[in-house]
Amino acid sequence: MDVQNEAVVVATYLSVNEAQIFKALLESAGVPARMQNDIAAQIIPAYGDMMQVNLLVSPDDVEKAQEILSAGFDRKQFEAESENPTEDSDL
């Protein structure tokens, strides 16, 4: 994604933290991604969709990114696993 105009918005979030989670998910699958409006969303207090954070990828990665993002994210399972890490965890 060398040229900003070539980036494609694949998702929009109301939280910088949520956008970071999905950005990391894409990158762990080999899809380079970046956020747009993340700094402004952290600095300027806004409510609702006034300060959305966009997740962008290159046009070549749109299909793969959409497939990964559409697989879903089970927030309850994530929170349960975060609260009770397995004994095998290095953390």
Side-chain angles (χ1 to χ4, degrees), residues 6-11 26 29-32 55-71:
E6 291 183 14
V8 176
V9 176
V10 290
L26 289 176
V31 178
L55 194 55
L56 300 102
V57 300
S58 73
D60 295 337
D61 292 325
V62 170
E63 187 175 324
K64 184 175 180 182
Q66 289 174 335
E67 181 180 319
I68 293 166
L69 295 173
S70 68

Side-chain angles (χ1 to χ4, degrees), residues 78-91:
F78 174 78
E79 290 172 354
E81 290 175 1
S82 296
E83 291 173 7
N84 302 311
T86 62
E87 293 179 16
D88 297 335
S89 175
D90 293 333
L91 297 177

Side-chain angles (χ1 to χ4, degrees), residues 11-23:
T12 301
Y13 302 97
L14 297 179
S15 158
V16 173
N17 293 336
E18 188 174 20
Q20 288 173 331
I21 289 170
F22 288 101
K23 177 181 182 284

